[in-house]
Every structure is written in structure tokens, then in C-alpha cells.
Amino acid sequence: MNNKSKKRKLNIIIVIIILIPCCFLLKSSINNNEERKIIKNNYISLENLGDVNIATVEEKINKKHKLNDEKDGDNSKEISNKIYFEQSVFMGDSITEGLDFYDIVNKSSVIAKKGQGLVQAKESVSVLANINPQRVFVLYGMNDLKSSENSDDFKSNYIKLVKDIKQTVPSAEIYLQSLTPVQAKVQQENNSFSQDRLDEFTQAIIEVARKESVNYIDIRPMLENREDLFEQDGIHFKADFYGLWLDDLKTQLKI
């Protein structure tokens, strides 16, 4: 490349460097010393370009673009749950209701009702037909612990629910989730929520997943040593839980 061509290319690069910060700065008025300082620094940098070769300039431009891409990636995380799960439906009780209450996912992605167990859940299955989701995440059991005498009845009702979901949305992937833990004070006050019973009913969910050839996700590990995520009743969860829950689901889906 001759000197004339190099000079022309350098001029083009200089123009680009000038335009990039200017495009952003023109979006808002230059109304503070910080913005004036940025412009001044840009001009100082341009004055020093005469002693810099083209390869060095190009390298700096590439680094600038890389940093901008990384920043864009960070911003996308703020909306990633709504986007990631926009073709999914979450079925459950009041715990799942929190996804809608705290605006974690789109309202259309939540089919949940306070106090609902597996028997009542069958009434909600018909709603899936209109949504036609790609994935259905199921989280029932806390109310069934109080209403079911044993895990056999729980298992039987769960199988019926899964069969209904399959029939309604045959192309959807179904994910059964473990029961969520409760705090020690709840177990002490109510035998229905004893650890043995929680483990027994969760094992029943695992067996249903195997029998019906659907997916199972254990969400209990993410709650270990996280007493701070529980509401005062020791069963339900604060807002912070829901983002962590969905992030955990995304991680497990990629495994």
C-alpha cells in the first residue's frame, strides 16, 4: 500500500473515531462539565494520531466495539427471563403465582392459583390449548401434602395430570419440578410438612417423570442455606427467589 493510500485510510479511520462519540453525545445536550471533558479528550487523542500507525488504530477500534458488545450483553440479562420463557407456561399454586405477581415472566406464561393441588389443576389444563407452549413447567405438591393421605394418591393424581397435559399439547416438553423445602419452624408446627413427607412426595414426582417419560428438575439445591429467600410463613418466597429460580431452570435446561 503506497503512502497516499495509507493516508486516505487513516483519514477515514479518523472520521469514524470522530463520528462514534459524536453520535452518542448529540443525543443529549452538552450541559455538564463531564461531557465537555469527554469531547476535549477525544480531540487530544486525535491530535496524537499522526504518530500512530494504522494497525494500532484499527486494534483500538476493535477493542472499543468488543467492550460495547459486552455491555449490550449485560443489558440483555435484565430482560432475558421474559424473553427466554415467552414460549413456556408455568403451572402451579401460590408459589408459582409469584412469577406473575412480581412480573418475572409474561402474564400469559402463568397458570397458577392459590390453594390449588393436582386435582384442581386438571381444570386449568384446557387453557394450554389456546397458548400452545413449547414447554410446560409443573410445580404442585405443597397443598397436596395437606390433602393427600399418602404419596400413592399423590402419584396417581400426578400421572393423570401429566396425561391430560400430553393430550392437550402433545408437542410440548413437560418438566416436573421437585417440591420446594420449608423452614424448620413449619415442620415443627405441622406434621404434613415433615422432611420425611417432603422427601417421600418428591420421590413420587421423580417416579411419575420416569413412568411418563417427561423431564424432572430438582430445584431444592438452589435453596440450600438461603433462609433469606423465605417469607415469614416459612413456605412462600420473596421476590428475589423468582429470578434465581428461573436462572437455575435455564442452567439445568442447558445441561
Side-chain angles (χ1 to χ4, degrees):
M1 183 183 296
N2 56 41
N3 291 333
K4 187 175 181 180
S5 298
K6 288 183 179 179
K7 185 174 182 181
R8 184 182 297 109
K9 186 173 182 180
L10 180 57
N11 287 335
I12 293 173
I13 293 173
I14 291 173
V15 171
I16 293 173
I17 293 175
I18 294 173
L19 289 177
I20 289 175
C22 286
C23 287
F24 289 103
L25 290 172
L26 286 175
K27 290 182 180 179
S28 59
S29 300
I30 304 177
N31 54 10
N32 57 57
N33 292 331
E34 186 62 28
E35 291 174 338
R36 292 190 181 95
K37 184 177 179 181
I38 292 173
I39 294 177
K40 182 179 179 180
N41 289 338
N42 284 336
Y43 279 115
I44 292 174
S45 297
L46 288 172
E47 289 175 357
N48 296 329
L49 276 178
D51 298 327
V52 180
N53 62 47
I54 293 175
T56 302
V57 174
E58 290 176 338
E59 182 180 356
K60 288 184 177 181
I61 292 175
N62 289 334
K63 285 182 178 180
K64 186 176 183 68
H65 283 300
K66 184 177 180 181
L67 288 173
N68 288 336
D69 290 342
E70 289 175 355
K71 289 180 180 179
D72 291 340
D74 291 340
N75 292 335
S76 68
K77 290 180 181 178
E78 297 177 2
I79 58 173
S80 60
N81 282 334
K82 280 194 174 184
I83 294 175
Y84 191 93
F85 293 103
E86 64 183 350
Q87 298 299 322
S88 300
V89 164
F90 293 84
M91 297 185 67
D93 49 34
S94 55
I95 293 177
T96 301
E97 257 188 326
L99 289 169
D100 178 27
F101 181 79
Y102 291 112
D103 195 30
I104 306 298
V105 298
N106 297 319
K107 190 177 185 66
S108 59
S109 292
V110 182
I111 303 176
K113 189 175 182 181
K114 180 181 178 181
Q116 200 167 70
L118 291 172
V119 175
Q120 297 82 6
K122 293 180 64 177
E123 301 172 2
S124 302
V125 175
S126 59
V127 181
L128 291 172
N130 294 327
I131 302 174
N132 193 28
Q134 294 178 358
R135 300 189 184 105
V136 179
F137 295 91
V138 185
L139 180 58
Y140 290 103
M142 302 311 289
N143 295 304
D144 297 277
L145 283 169
K146 295 182 289 186
S147 62
S148 300
E149 292 186 5
N150 55 66
S151 60
D152 290 336
D153 293 338
F154 175 74
K155 181 178 178 180
S156 176
N157 288 327
Y158 220 135
I159 289 174
K160 291 177 182 177
L161 176 64
V162 171
K163 288 184 180 297
D164 285 348
I165 295 174
K166 283 181 175 180
Q167 185 174 358
T168 305
V169 281
S171 62
E173 296 179 5
I174 301 174
Y175 295 84
L176 310 186
Q177 299 170 86
S178 64
L179 296 182
T180 51
V182 299
Q183 290 185 320
K185 64 179 182 180
V186 177
Q187 297 184 3
Q188 294 169 0
E189 296 170 359
N190 193 330
N191 290 332
S192 295
F193 295 99
S194 68
Q195 191 58 53
D196 288 343
R197 196 165 163 82
L198 284 165
D199 293 340
E200 180 184 346
F201 276 58
T202 296
Q203 181 59 38
I205 298 174
I206 295 173
E207 293 172 3
V208 172
R210 289 173 181 167
K211 185 178 186 303
E212 294 299 316
S213 299
V214 296
N215 305 285
Y216 169 76
I217 292 181
D218 191 350
I219 59 176
R220 294 173 295 179
M222 63 160 286
L223 285 164
E224 290 180 2
N225 303 316
R226 292 305 306 266
E227 296 291 314
D228 58 303
L229 294 177
F230 285 89
E231 291 285 4
Q232 290 185 353
D233 65 1
I235 297 176
H236 294 88
F237 299 98
K238 298 177 182 177
D240 289 346
F241 159 78
Y242 291 94
L244 295 173
W245 175 21
L246 295 196
D247 287 342
D248 183 64
L249 288 183
K250 287 188 292 185
T251 299
Q252 301 231 32
L253 290 173
K254 294 175 182 177
I255 294 177

